[in-house]
Amino acid sequence: MRKLAVLLTPLLILAFTLGVMACDSEEVATTPTPTLTPTSTMTPTPESAGEVVISARFAAFQPSIITVAKGETISLKVTSTDSAHTFTIDELGINITVGGGQTATSEIKVDQAGTFTFYCSVPGHRISGMEGTLQVTD
């Protein structure tokens, strides 16, 4: 009887594991995945009145390059498409937090020209590639 139990235990574990994996794969197969280009650019236009719309999802910001004019006041509208994220620029003191599936809006005015890196400060996100560039032109 003991030999039978020793032989059947790995088979039961395998059957259970395959059943769980089958359930998980159905879930993944039915969830649409948005396509993001790794480097896209956004420059506010007169029609957008200085609004910059940013989509955040694990490992990517869309757009990843934002260009604004020095002294321009812009409205940053950050939307998370999955979990909680931040939009952080250390040099400018900007740290916008947005919950999963939510949108956060903040007005900023950048008074210095230069190139600044923005990133998500949630542990593991920045190192996975969740960063971009804010270019402030004269």
Side-chain angles (χ1 to χ4, degrees):
M1 186 67 145
R2 185 171 174 211
K3 284 185 178 182
L4 182 60
V6 169
L7 291 173
L8 288 179
T9 300
L11 291 175
L12 290 172
I13 292 171
L14 178 62
F16 176 77
T17 303
L18 290 174
V20 169
M21 289 172 57
C23 290
D24 285 346
S25 66
E26 284 179 27
E27 214 174 282
V28 171
T30 60
T31 304
T33 304
T35 303
L36 298 177
T37 56
T39 54
S40 56
T41 304
M42 177 170 194
T43 302
T45 62
E47 298 83 38
S48 68
E51 181 177 76
V52 176
V53 179
I54 302 162
S55 176
R57 80 164 222 221
F58 180 70
F61 283 107
Q62 180 72 22
S64 60
I65 300 171
I66 301 166
T67 304
V68 299
K70 178 181 168 184
E72 179 181 13
T73 299
I74 59 170
S75 176
L76 288 175
K77 184 176 180 181
V78 183
T79 300
S80 169
T81 62
D82 53 12
S83 61
H85 295 289
T86 71
F87 180 90
T88 304
I89 304 175
D90 293 329
E91 299 89 347
L92 302 177
I94 297 170
N95 189 31
I96 301 168
T97 301
V98 59
Q102 298 181 357
T103 298
T105 303
S106 181
E107 283 197 5
I108 66 164
K109 182 175 182 178
V110 183
D111 289 328
Q112 58 187 28
T115 301
F116 306 94
T117 299
F118 59 84
Y119 65 95
C120 178
S121 66
V122 173
H125 289 203
R126 184 177 189 182
I127 198 164
S128 297
M130 198 165 181
E131 62 179 32
T133 303
L134 173 67
Q135 297 173 338
V136 182
T137 60
D138 274 322

